[in-house]
Amino acid sequence: MKAETGDPAGAWQRDADGELLVAGQPLSRVVAAVGGTPCYLYDRARVTARVRGLRERLPSGVQLHYAMKANPMPALVCHVAGLVDGLDVASAGELRVALDSGMAPERVSFAGPGKSDAELAQAVAAGILVNVESFREIGVLARAGERLGLKPRVAVRVNLPFELKASGMKMSGGARQFGVDAELVPELLREIAVAGLGFEGFHMFAGSQNLRHAAIVEAQRRCYEQALEWQDLLPAPVRSLNLGGGFGIPYTPGEAALDLGPVIDNLGGLAQRLPSDWPGAHIVIELGRYLVGEAGLYVSRVVDRKVSRGQVFLVVDGGMHHHLAATGNFGQVIRRNYPVAINRTDLGTETASVVGPLCTPMDLLADRMELHRAEAGDLVVVFQSGAYGRSASPRGFLSHPDVAEALV
Ligand SMILES: *Cc1c(COP(=O)(O)O)cnc(C)c1O
């Protein structure tokens, strides 16, 4: 094994002592400054570079939103809010953080099945855009609007008649709990008009974690064409056409980063058609993982080093209760190791498994990987951990302590 850091993109450097550098400092110092392990570290400069880099390439007429469910840590959301055009929330809890961030309510949207009456009323009062996902939501929004003396702002979330090919997680096509089936959209649009809601556009989200530009381009085109079919049924002009996102990041050495060029070109083409198809409208893409995933590290410390029948196990003070996705239990079909590295390089290399303290074989952060050799007390890093980490993990399972998070 080469003395590389272990991350797939080779994006993280080591200092002369072999320690990983985070925000310009050796990892051990950063960890000490945030109060020890286990912890998530989110690199502020990397988030900034990623979001700015993408936004600069987006054609005018295309807005970039951050989907907060990828990582709702308040300090991170506040930072990202200053770099994007809007925030997408999926609960009243996320809505509170979004409003705290200083993002203008006009630029916040709310999607998700099963929004409660209270959540919908909160959304109306806040003045955010609600992506309607059922006929029931129309009535609830109309009543909330009457009570508050406000006109609820809505877009229609569509369950498309197709799915996003090659997606890590499909969220459209066939029978789904998300959105309203495309066939029912004409009827829904009529009800929105009758209820007197403020129609603003469509929301179409086909899937997540996609590394194939051709699949993303095709989905965006088909979403655009789909929305055109309802041209004569609109209760009000389309202002916002949300084409979803689904941009993925690589997790294994075999995965190549998404080639953004064709996706940007396609968005440019659609943005050019926009003024004639829907004058005054803009396109939105909403991304979570792509904006923050690569900027995050999950850091734990070796508690015990065990050899079982010739196999080395590094038992660490963190695991699936903090980072379910890294153990392969967050929707993955096949378990693959996340990129993992040891924060020292002076003891040679070996094949080792990294496991957490939970009494279940699922608590496996690295399965027989080639790693630098580690002893008790050494730090273990899981890369690509900025999205779907702490908030997407069963932190109560086995009643171990929670994990700290820091924006560094
Ligand atoms: C989860 C979700 C996202 C974010 O997906 P990523 O793969 O993290 O970019 C965006 N929009 C909706 C509607 C979602 O449910």
Side-chain angles (χ1 to χ4, degrees):
M1 180 179 133
K2 284 179 276 133
E4 80 277 11
T5 53
D7 69 303
W12 299 83
Q13 309 296 316
R14 290 187 190 265
D15 68 9
D17 297 326
E19 280 209 56
L20 288 157
L21 283 166
V22 180
Q25 294 193 332
L27 177 65
S28 60
R29 177 164 173 199
V30 178
V31 167
V34 307
T37 57
C39 61
Y40 278 99
L41 302 175
Y42 310 124
D43 187 318
R44 193 189 298 265
R46 283 172 197 268
V47 171
T48 307
R50 170 56 73 103
V51 180
R52 283 226 176 102
L54 172 60
R55 196 149 172 241
E56 276 162 13
R57 293 179 67 182
L58 288 177
S60 72
V62 179
Q63 297 192 355
L64 176 62
H65 282 205
Y66 175 52
M68 272 178 58
K69 84 166 191 281
N71 191 328
M73 183 217 190
L76 179 73
V77 173
C78 287
H79 180 62
V80 174
L83 303 168
V84 294
D85 303 295
L87 295 174
D88 294 326
V89 305
S91 70
E94 287 189 0
L95 174 56
R96 269 196 303 276
V97 175
L99 296 176
D100 281 348
S101 77
M103 177 61 73
E106 302 80 68
R107 294 170 171 272
V108 176
S109 60
F110 183 5
K115 299 179 199 75
S116 71
D117 290 17
E119 283 178 313
L120 289 166
Q122 205 174 324
V124 174
I128 65 167
L129 180 67
V130 176
N131 293 317
V132 169
E133 313 221 7
S134 76
F135 284 83
R136 163 196 154 260
E137 289 185 2
I138 293 175
V140 177
L141 287 165
R143 286 191 293 279
E146 263 163 44
R147 273 199 316 278
L148 292 158
L150 295 167
K151 187 166 179 147
R153 300 173 53 217
V154 298
V156 172
R157 181 170 184 186
V158 182
N159 175 28
L160 298 157
F162 58 89
E163 52 187 34
L164 178 52
K165 287 178 199 145
S167 232
M169 217 176 263
K170 296 186 169 71
M171 291 178 69
S172 201
R176 298 279 168 185
Q177 71 268 52
F178 308 110
V180 173
D181 293 348
E183 312 81 273
L184 298 176
V185 167
E187 190 185 337
L188 191 83
L189 290 172
R190 274 194 298 277
E191 291 210 7
I192 286 173
V194 169
L197 305 183
F199 172 82
E200 296 190 13
F202 296 102
H203 175 221
M204 296 169 276
F205 183 77
S208 200
Q209 179 50 19
N210 204 303
L211 290 169
R212 292 198 13 220
H213 59 82
I216 294 174
V217 163
E218 187 193 329
Q220 288 177 340
R221 281 215 194 110
R222 291 182 73 173
C223 286
Y224 192 98
E225 301 301 337
Q226 178 73 56
L228 277 177
E229 287 181 20
W230 298 309
Q231 200 65 302
D232 300 331
L233 307 170
L234 304 175
V238 167
R239 294 179 52 193
S240 161
L241 186 66
N242 186 329
L243 299 180
F247 299 10
I249 62 173
Y251 287 97
T252 65
E255 288 178 330
L258 173 65
D259 180 5
L260 268 186
V263 179
I264 302 281
D265 290 348
N266 182 56
L267 285 170
L270 296 178
Q272 270 182 1
R273 292 171 56 187
L274 204 59
S276 57
D277 290 333
W278 293 289
H282 57 260
I283 288 171
V284 174
I285 55 167
E286 51 175 17
L287 301 175
R289 187 193 311 266
Y290 188 81
L291 299 186
V292 297
E294 299 195 323
L297 304 177
Y298 176 60
V299 189
S300 60
R301 197 180 291 279
V302 178
V303 173
D304 209 344
R305 179 196 160 84
K306 298 170 66 169
V307 180
S308 168
R309 308 219 159 102
Q311 236 196 89
V312 176
F313 289 88
L314 302 171
V315 189
V316 296
D317 62 1
M320 73 173 280
H321 52 312
H322 303 149
H323 202 338
L324 187 67
T327 66
N329 293 297
F330 187 62
Q332 295 98 327
V333 181
I334 303 166
R335 189 196 175 287
R336 294 199 187 88
N337 288 325
Y338 265 47
V340 169
I342 306 296
N343 191 40
R344 70 187 289 180
T345 56
D346 57 327
L347 299 177
T349 63
E350 65 180 0
T351 300
S353 294
V354 179
V355 300
L358 306 191
C359 286
T360 161
M362 289 193 296
D363 195 4
L364 177 63
L365 288 172
D367 186 17
R368 288 162 291 176
M369 278 179 89
E370 188 69 10
L371 297 170
H372 286 103
R373 186 184 160 106
E375 305 285 354
D378 288 335
L379 297 173
V380 179
V381 168
V382 181
F383 298 100
Q384 308 295 77
S385 295
Y388 304 107
R390 177 176 180 269
S391 72
S393 300
R395 298 197 300 280
F397 190 34
L398 272 288
S399 301
H400 282 282
D402 198 355
V403 57
E405 292 180 295
L407 185 64
V408 297

